[in-house]
Amino acid sequence: MNREFPTQADVVIVGSGPAGAAYARILSEQSPDANVVMFEVGPLLADPPGIHVKNLPGDARARAQRLSEGPAPRDGASTDTMKGYADASQRLVRPGTFLLPDGYRMPGEDGLPGAAMSSNVGGMGAHWTGACPRPGGKERVDFIDDLDELLSEGERLLGVDDRVFEGAPYSAQVRERLAELLDSERPANRHVAPMPLAVRRQQDGGLVWSGSDVVFGEPTRSNPRFTLIPEALVARVRHEHGQVTGVIVRDQRDCTEHTVDAPVVVVAADALRTPQILWASNVRPHALGRWLNDQPQSVYAVRLRDVESHADVDHDSTEIVPESGVNWVPYTDDDPFHGQVMQLDASPVKLASDDAPKPGTIVGLGWFCAKDLQESDRVEFDDAQLDGYGMPAMRIHYRLTDDDHSMIQRSRQAMMRAAAALGEPLDDRDPLTFAPGASLHYQGTVRMGQVDDGTSVCGPTSEVWGVAGLFVAGNGVIPTAIACNPTLTSVALAVHGARSIAANITSTKG
């Protein structure tokens, strides 16, 4: 049977990831009388909408991952969230994501062979690691005066906690060893610390990971004027004379098209599909798709030295368990990379059969670099060829500069120095640097700017230059070369945009 689509709304939100969910939450709290409709191209995975797949049991998790994998889901039922951690494959495939089938590398360029997306209610927020560090130094968007307050609000919406593993014995030892090595070289506010995580611990000790369901919260779920419609592709944003007028939506179930009138549209697809929708809508400012930013990522693993086994843990598991934890080596301007040190209860590399480690003692290190931002790094769109959703096909132009290669080497050296302070290498292999795109932290393609000078797509509140009522959201809005995990920053910027919409609705109706 055909579904009923609304014909009008006060606000349309395109995409249900953490940034889109933040718009829905703030509008539900601050403009409860506004009719808000959210369209998501992917399916509903489970109840509540936007739940993280780690919170689902094995069979349900595998099903949710397959449903998230776009137009052509893979066969198989892997729920291994560490799958590929030490895989040197150029085209690393993670459960719950799908790769670009082509166009990911142009001749003579590095490209983004690891570029991947998810299509599901909750977006990548149903599959992410939950790491929510705050940006520092040049990572920060310096023209947002109240950024710290916005980051705090983002932490509230995401349910961030930096103490969830504070009782983990190995985690504390890891942090102490890293602090002894590094803290004297760092500003006081960038010392080694527990990683802030979007996760909460239940009374029984179990972990509940935040997805968009946590960001939506009860204020959104109980809002009678909020509607979420899954399996609905927003093909175009409608606009006339510099003003948004609504969207054209294609029902993915029966391929019918529907027109929805709205004076405000928020496109929060992701850093690749948000510019795609604008391009298809003939909203094409010079900076659209440009300044594409990935984070070069290297990983390594060691066995902790001089530690005792604290519990009988199944070390063949890939879950983070109470013996484990996640620690953080923050970015600084002098060391423009970000370290994530995670204790793994299964080795990310194959161990000899007679060399099984004490449970919880294999430590994985991951270092992310800030990119040397270039306007020429971009995603373009081919109107003559369509992707699996019938949208203009993507073409990635992306190069690592000499400065990038130098920074990758510096970050690998910094990671090895940290590793040596923690323990012994598992074998004689060097650190692995993933192929571009593997970070899944793409940014910059609809970047924010202080003024409309051709180097940005939107202003400080995320409203697109020259198209009143059109907002963009997600990691693509971030204009700086950040090395830290970007979700908290993108949610904070979404809060800023949502507040401006709510204030305008209040003043208009007042």
Side-chain angles (χ1 to χ4, degrees):
M1 296 178 63
N2 291 341
R3 293 186 289 174
E4 183 175 345
F5 279 64
T7 58
Q8 60 183 19
D10 293 314
V11 181
V12 165
I13 303 172
V14 184
S16 61
Y23 271 86
R25 173 70 170 272
I26 295 300
L27 291 169
S28 294
E29 292 178 341
Q30 298 190 6
S31 296
D33 293 333
N35 289 309
V36 179
V37 179
M38 174 178 282
F39 295 107
E40 168 57 55
V41 68
L44 179 67
L45 301 181
D47 191 51
I51 191 171
H52 198 298
V53 299
K54 284 189 190 178
N55 301 329
L56 300 174
D59 290 345
R61 182 188 302 180
R63 176 180 177 274
Q65 289 169 337
R66 296 293 82 76
L67 288 172
S68 303
E69 292 173 355
R74 301 189 305 275
D75 294 330
S78 173
T79 61
D80 183 358
T81 55
M82 291 303 297
K83 184 177 178 61
Y85 182 85
D87 188 341
S89 170
Q90 283 280 301
R91 307 218 69 204
L92 180 63
V93 181
R94 294 181 175 90
T97 72
F98 61 99
L99 298 167
L100 286 178
D102 52 42
Y104 54 85
R105 182 193 289 125
M106 295 296 104
E109 300 180 359
D110 295 293
L112 291 181
M117 297 166 281
S118 293
S119 289
N120 52 271
V121 173
M124 199 67 81
H127 310 281
W128 68 318
T129 65
C132 288
R134 288 195 175 205
K138 293 179 181 178
E139 290 183 306
R140 293 170 59 87
V141 184
D142 59 9
F143 54 83
I144 302 294
D145 293 335
D146 53 352
L147 181 60
D148 286 320
E149 187 275 328
L150 292 169
L151 290 166
S152 294
E153 182 70 346
E155 289 166 344
R156 176 181 78 92
L157 298 187
L158 288 161
V160 175
D161 187 351
D162 64 359
R163 299 167 299 175
V164 69
F165 290 117
E166 65 181 356
Y170 295 148
S171 181
Q173 291 184 49
V174 167
R175 189 163 58 255
E176 289 168 4
R177 294 177 189 185
L178 291 173
E180 183 177 0
L181 175 71
L182 299 172
D183 281 356
S184 63
E185 307 168 358
R186 296 172 156 265
N189 65 345
R190 306 303 282 174
H191 282 181
V192 174
M195 176 65 77
L197 294 168
V199 62
R200 72 179 188 275
R201 186 178 294 283
Q202 298 176 304
Q203 288 186 345
D204 64 2
L207 300 178
V208 178
W209 296 84
S210 294
S212 288
D213 61 323
V214 172
V215 183
F216 284 131
E218 280 308 311
T220 308
R221 284 190 288 271
S222 63
N223 180 0
R225 296 181 179 274
F226 172 74
T227 303
L228 168 63
I229 302 179
E231 298 177 76
L233 168 72
V234 171
R236 296 191 305 282
V237 176
R238 297 164 47 235
H239 54 97
E240 294 180 1
H241 310 300
Q243 170 66 54
V244 157
T245 60
V247 295
I248 302 294
V249 187
R250 186 181 306 137
D251 189 337
Q252 294 296 95
R253 296 179 182 177
D254 62 12
C255 297
T256 57
E257 284 199 347
H258 305 264
T259 298
V260 182
D261 295 331
V264 177
V265 174
V266 180
V267 184
D270 57 36
L272 297 177
R273 287 179 284 187
T274 292
Q276 182 188 49
I277 292 172
L278 268 60
W279 177 270
S281 307
N282 203 30
V283 178
R284 302 177 179 181
H286 176 75
L288 185 71
R290 298 178 184 272
W291 307 95
L292 174 60
N293 177 19
D294 177 46
Q295 296 173 344
Q297 178 186 3
S298 300
V299 298
Y300 195 60
V302 297
R303 180 186 293 104
L304 292 177
R305 72 170 68 89
D306 301 328
V307 294
E308 299 295 331
S309 182
H310 286 270
D312 184 15
V313 180
D314 176 12
H315 60 264
D316 289 326
S317 167
T318 57
E319 298 296 325
I320 297 175
V321 297
E323 287 299 301
S324 306
V326 185
N327 284 299
W328 173 34
V329 179
Y331 164 104
T332 69
D333 289 339
D334 289 335
D335 292 309
F337 23 81
H338 153 88
Q340 188 166 313
V341 183
M342 180 168 57
Q343 291 175 238
L344 308 175
D345 294 292
S347 170
V349 298
K350 186 176 181 179
L351 295 171
S353 58
D354 59 350
D355 192 27
K358 298 183 181 73
T361 61
I362 299 297
V363 177
L365 299 93
W367 255 239
F368 298 82
C369 295
K371 178 75 171 70
D372 179 19
L373 297 185
Q374 304 290 315
E375 182 181 356
S376 57
D377 292 329
R378 65 196 186 277
V379 54
E380 294 182 339
F381 304 99
D382 186 349
D383 290 319
Q385 182 175 345
L386 303 182
D387 66 13
Y389 287 111
M391 298 291 284
M394 298 180 192
R395 299 289 179 260
I396 303 291
H397 291 269
Y398 193 83
R399 296 177 185 269
L400 295 173
T401 68
D402 289 344
D403 285 346
D404 288 325
H405 287 293
S406 175
M407 194 58 60
I408 291 170
Q409 286 304 116
R410 281 187 58 194
S411 72
R412 286 165 61 96
Q413 293 165 3
M415 183 172 59
M416 291 293 287
R417 183 177 174 225
L422 297 176
E424 311 304 334
L426 301 180
D427 54 35
D428 59 359
R429 282 181 283 187
D430 291 332
L432 170 65
T433 297
F434 288 136
S439 76
L440 307 181
H441 293 169
Y442 324 121
Q443 303 150 50
T445 52
V446 287
R447 69 201 306 249
M448 176 183 290
Q450 194 168 14
V451 295
D452 183 9
D453 61 0
T455 66
S456 60
V457 171
C458 64
T461 62
S462 300
E463 189 170 18
V464 173
W465 300 118
V467 187
L470 177 58
F471 291 74
V472 285
N475 295 344
V477 173
I478 299 171
T480 53
I482 71 173
C484 69
N485 311 66
T487 300
L488 175 62
T489 299
S490 66
V491 168
L493 298 178
V495 169
H496 197 36
R499 286 175 176 175
S500 72
I501 294 172
N504 186 59
I505 290 173
T506 299
S507 65
T508 300
K509 293 189 174 183

